[in-house]
Amino acid sequence: MLAVIGLSITDVESFAQRQPAGERLSLTRSGSFDPCFLSTTELVRFQFIQGRLCLNCPQHRKGTQSRDEPGLHESIAVTSEQGIPSLHYVFQTAEQHLTLNVQHAGKVRLESQCLQTGERVILEQPAIGMVRCFRTGSRWSDQFEGSTLLHVRQQDPDGFDQHFGPLISCLLRGRSLSAITRETSLAMLAQARRGGTPTCVQIESMIDLLSAPTVAQRSHAHRQLLKWGTPVIPVLQALTSDELDAEQRARLGDIRFRLWSCLDDTPASLAKLLVNDKSYWEVIVHQLNEEQVRLADRHLVHFGVSPLAPVTTAEHRVAATPETNLR
């Protein structure tokens, strides 16, 4: 599936014109190594919260560990500042060099290079803001972005999984991002059918009230946005600072902080976060059948945005779980 959100391609080849298959990284051959050191070390524990990787601050300890085997080198170093951990991890084989850097628990940078083809992929997840992925080869380059790792993966699932799939599955203790995205799509359809999430107009009216003349009005809007929960986040992410006054910025910062969970994502929690995010529906639309697209469109129109762009019947896929199972 090659749908795109916020896709920026420099004056080079598009996804449809990307490099020959022989130049693509393949990490599925027998004898290749999986990065597993991080699943056995007790230095750190990763979490997946609101579609992003982060370190669990209470569960870490400073130190270094490494292992060397024929054709394989792994090392990990964990530091900490005022109880907030940072990490540097290296994985090297004859086929792939992979590094993972985490600063202050939530700023993540992944870099993977295929030594046989020279293909290089860099994924940058800032503490706040869009996740970006850059892919370069000998004669091509791509770059794309999204608000979560799910957005980024869905724009090039095969390439993402080839470079980062085994590592992320290791970080999440066996949970693959592929399975998470599949289960989340089904949960989003169920959430769209149930309804009950606020509309874009309702959310924007509460944001406006955060700068109302009375404290009572501002406090009411603050409480209402918190009550609605994570379905408001896609609207908050679309705001720019010059649209807001100082109190709005402060209150919205507090709301984002309070809506951040300490618990790992589930398909249901991710569905609540993404159900009002049209950009994510756009990157999964080709995985949906016609009935599911109609359901998504009804939800988006009710939310207050335009429906998804039409796709032909041949482009639709039937979801892995029958629609009736979601009722």
Side-chain angles (χ1 to χ4, degrees):
M1 182 188 65
L2 303 175
V4 289
I5 57 151
L7 176 61
S8 171
I9 302 179
T10 55
D11 51 347
V12 291
E13 297 168 321
S14 69
F15 279 137
Q17 300 169 315
R18 69 160 50 87
Q19 74 279 22
E23 294 187 18
R24 300 297 299 276
L25 172 67
S26 175
L27 299 177
T28 59
R29 294 184 293 274
S30 61
S32 64
F33 295 96
D34 285 339
C36 59
F37 197 44
L38 283 169
S39 64
T40 59
T41 181
E42 297 180 356
L43 295 179
V44 289
R45 182 181 178 90
F46 276 82
Q47 291 185 280
F48 196 60
I49 298 177
Q50 293 188 1
R52 302 163 80 99
L53 286 169
C54 60
L55 291 173
N56 186 320
C57 291
Q59 297 189 28
H60 78 276
R61 59 184 177 87
K62 294 186 287 186
T64 60
Q65 293 182 7
S66 64
R67 71 164 180 162
D68 288 282
E69 299 177 4
L72 170 66
H73 168 76
E74 281 186 286
S75 65
I76 178 174
V78 177
T79 58
S80 182
E81 183 178 350
Q82 296 182 338
I84 301 176
S86 296
L87 172 145
H88 178 69
Y89 168 76
V90 175
F91 171 82
Q92 295 180 340
T93 69
E95 294 179 349
Q96 183 187 22
H97 282 187
L98 180 63
T99 60
L100 165 63
N101 285 286
V102 183
Q103 296 181 11
H104 304 294
K107 183 179 179 181
V108 177
R109 188 180 193 274
L110 275 164
E111 181 173 348
S112 171
Q113 183 174 16
C114 173
L115 302 183
Q116 296 176 343
T117 67
E119 178 176 310
R120 184 169 176 243
V121 181
I122 297 174
L123 186 144
E124 296 178 342
Q125 175 197 282
I128 299 174
M130 301 294 275
V131 181
R132 291 183 170 86
C133 190
F134 308 89
R135 293 169 53 99
T136 58
S138 58
R139 302 186 303 277
W140 58 273
S141 66
D142 293 324
Q143 60 182 35
F144 38 95
E145 66 179 23
S147 59
T148 70
L149 289 176
L150 281 73
H151 288 78
V152 171
R153 179 192 174 273
Q154 291 287 55
Q155 294 175 63
D156 182 17
D158 291 340
F160 187 97
D161 289 346
Q162 287 169 340
H163 280 274
F164 302 129
L167 176 61
I168 291 178
S169 180
C170 168
L171 301 182
L172 301 182
R173 301 170 297 283
R175 299 173 65 206
S176 73
L177 199 54
S178 173
I180 290 171
T181 54
R182 182 172 60 253
E183 293 164 4
T184 297
S185 297
L186 295 168
M188 286 173 63
L189 291 165
Q191 179 66 58
R193 182 180 296 104
R194 287 193 302 272
T197 56
T199 67
C200 189
V201 170
Q202 289 174 318
I203 297 169
E204 289 173 345
S205 68
M206 289 299 110
I207 293 171
D208 290 340
L209 278 178
L210 292 176
S211 62
T214 69
V215 174
Q217 289 174 303
R218 298 195 298 270
S219 298
H220 165 72
H222 194 134
R223 290 193 301 270
Q224 184 60 65
L225 288 167
L226 284 172
K227 183 178 179 180
W228 281 329
T230 57
V232 309
I233 289 178
V235 178
L236 304 188
Q237 289 174 330
L239 297 172
T240 57
S241 59
D242 56 5
E243 300 177 70
L244 308 169
D245 63 26
E247 181 157 1
Q248 284 175 308
R249 290 194 295 270
R251 286 184 177 273
L252 290 175
D254 178 75
I255 290 166
R256 288 296 307 270
F257 175 78
R258 290 174 182 269
L259 291 179
W260 181 264
S261 172
C262 294
L263 302 176
D264 284 288
D265 288 332
T266 65
S269 69
L270 283 168
K272 285 191 65 178
L273 173 71
L274 298 172
V275 70
N276 288 341
D277 187 340
K278 183 183 176 183
S279 67
Y280 192 71
W281 285 108
E282 288 175 336
V283 296
I284 68 170
V285 64
H286 296 288
Q287 296 177 325
L288 307 178
N289 60 37
E290 292 183 38
E291 180 183 353
Q292 292 164 342
V293 172
R294 287 194 293 269
L295 173 62
D297 281 343
R298 286 196 300 271
H299 173 78
L300 291 171
V301 170
H302 173 75
F303 174 61
V305 297
S306 58
L308 299 169
V311 295
T312 65
T313 302
E315 291 177 303
H316 287 298
R317 298 181 184 177
V318 177
T321 298
E323 183 72 4
T324 54
N325 289 352
L326 296 177
R327 295 193 174 102

